[in-house]
Amino acid sequence: MTEQIPTQTETFSDLPLRFSIPARHARGRAVRIETALADILSAHAYPPVIEALLTEAVTLTALLGSLLKDAGGELTMQAQTGEGAVTLLVCDYRDGQLRGYAQYDEAKVAELTPEPTLFGLFGQGYLAITFDRKKRSENEPGARYQGIVPLEGASLAEACEYYFAQSEQIPTLIRTARSSGEDRTVAGGFLVQHLAEGEEGRERLHVRLDHPEWEHVRALAETVKPEELADGALPLEELVWRLFHEEDEVRIEQGTGLSKGCRCDPDHIRSVIGRFPVEERREMADEDGDIKVDCEFCNRQFPISLSSMEN
């Protein structure tokens, strides 16, 4: 196997690894998250089953976000229902910055088993994934693509596979895993896709789901073990090597580093509030003359005074 080795030859946590197998018309991503995940989870005191769900969601968001090629692009994943223990799950990615949170019914969560099914968590719900690609130039405008599918499968990873099959017509295999110890949680994710006839993304003309090249790649990828994905000491390059070392060529490239990112700074919030008419801003304010804005992602409240808006 021929590899294109980046400057840093070993990739561990909080840095995705991109790879492709040209002869098989396949591309993939591998990611392991530790510090960024801890920062996201620490904002809320989630019950164990919700923490496990959000961990999987953040891992998937890192995988899907790393498919974006250009700076400024954003990936948002949202799972929602009106009847389940979990009512809303939102994660997004932009330039390596991750954020996410979950809303849930405490009483219903308390009734769940330690390892509930996706249906047990959400009931009948839907999954929406949005790729927002920023424009590269005046001649190449950005594009926003959204797909909405039912929440089906045993896990969020399977629901994402279903999304790619239905909304994008791209054969996809996704695996996630996590390992929790006394002092840290490590989450790992792996994604591989088939681009028919070597065509890229939405420029492809057709996709054959039964292509023998894809069946070969899928069979190899399915041998990845959960303990490999969540092993913080195993370089991602080694993981890819174990799976595809018999291929003639596998190209690798490190992606953008991952971190917790929240865009809820006071100046941005003030600019958003400033778009409302004066009378509406006054109606939003409390008796102290403050408009209090909550950020669900980082679990913080931002009081913006009316006087600062009117000066």
Side-chain angles (χ1 to χ4, degrees):
M1 180 174 81
T2 301
E3 294 179 272
Q4 295 181 348
I5 304 295
T7 302
Q8 179 182 333
T9 59
E10 291 189 325
T11 305
F12 293 96
S13 295
D14 301 309
L15 186 64
L17 185 72
R18 307 168 184 254
F19 66 92
S20 63
I21 310 173
R24 302 289 184 181
H25 302 144
R27 69 175 177 183
R29 302 290 185 268
V31 66
R32 196 172 290 120
I33 314 175
E34 190 171 347
T35 302
L37 178 64
D39 291 341
I40 291 170
L41 295 178
S42 66
H44 297 266
Y46 290 115
V49 293
I50 302 300
E51 185 172 292
L53 175 67
L54 185 57
T55 295
E56 182 182 18
V58 170
T59 305
L60 291 167
T61 301
L63 282 172
L64 303 189
S66 65
L67 294 174
L68 293 165
K69 296 180 180 180
D70 300 316
E74 186 169 355
L75 178 283
T76 303
M77 183 172 69
Q78 178 174 319
Q80 190 166 355
T81 180
E83 61 181 40
V86 180
T87 55
L88 179 65
L89 178 70
V90 181
C91 293
D92 74 12
Y93 168 103
R94 186 172 73 180
D95 293 337
Q97 294 190 335
L98 294 164
R99 59 181 183 170
Y101 75 93
Q103 293 180 350
Y104 56 94
D105 184 310
E106 292 186 11
K108 291 182 178 180
V109 168
E111 297 174 354
L112 294 172
T113 62
E115 296 184 4
T117 63
L118 191 63
F119 182 81
L121 287 164
F122 288 94
Q124 296 290 340
Y126 70 85
L127 175 69
I129 297 179
T130 305
F131 287 91
D132 191 352
R133 300 179 178 182
K134 301 303 180 184
K135 68 177 184 178
R136 300 180 182 180
S137 66
E138 292 299 325
N139 297 325
E140 286 190 82
R144 188 173 189 268
Y145 302 92
Q146 183 180 68
I148 301 176
V149 296
L151 269 174
E152 296 184 355
S155 64
L156 274 178
E158 288 191 15
C160 287
E161 288 181 346
Y162 183 71
Y163 160 82
F164 279 109
Q166 295 298 311
S167 296
E168 304 275 352
Q169 291 81 53
I170 300 178
T172 303
L173 179 140
I174 302 174
R175 294 290 184 266
T176 63
R178 71 170 188 144
S179 174
S180 296
E182 294 182 359
D183 58 345
R184 67 173 185 170
T185 295
V186 179
F190 185 83
L191 173 151
V192 64
Q193 296 181 318
H194 179 58
L195 302 179
E197 310 306 325
E199 297 167 25
E200 284 288 336
R202 293 171 183 80
E203 297 174 359
R204 65 195 183 282
L205 301 177
H206 65 281
V207 172
R208 292 181 288 176
L209 298 180
D210 60 346
H211 199 294
E213 291 176 349
W214 168 242
E215 296 306 320
H216 173 83
V217 171
R218 182 183 183 92
L220 294 177
E222 284 179 334
T223 64
V224 68
K225 300 178 177 63
E227 55 267 29
E228 292 176 311
L229 292 176
D231 181 356
L234 176 66
L236 295 178
E237 290 85 355
E238 172 65 19
L239 177 62
V240 173
W241 170 264
R242 291 180 182 181
L243 297 172
F244 304 115
H245 63 275
E246 294 184 354
E247 299 301 316
D248 291 335
E249 180 183 24
V250 176
R251 300 174 183 175
I252 61 172
E253 176 189 10
Q254 289 176 336
T256 303
L258 302 172
S259 63
K260 177 192 175 184
C262 202
R263 302 186 284 277
C264 57
D265 64 279
D267 290 339
H268 173 70
I269 294 172
R270 190 175 287 107
S271 70
V272 173
I273 295 174
R275 300 169 192 168
F276 290 88
V278 173
E279 289 303 319
E280 289 189 27
R281 296 203 298 261
R282 290 174 179 170
E283 291 176 3
M284 297 178 195
D286 61 17
E287 59 185 14
D288 295 322
D290 292 331
I291 301 173
K292 294 180 179 177
V293 179
D294 295 316
C295 175
E296 295 285 357
F297 288 103
C298 63
N299 197 26
R300 295 171 60 193
Q301 188 177 76
F302 295 84
I304 306 297
S305 67
L306 278 179
S307 58
S308 69
M309 300 294 302
E310 298 175 357
N311 290 339

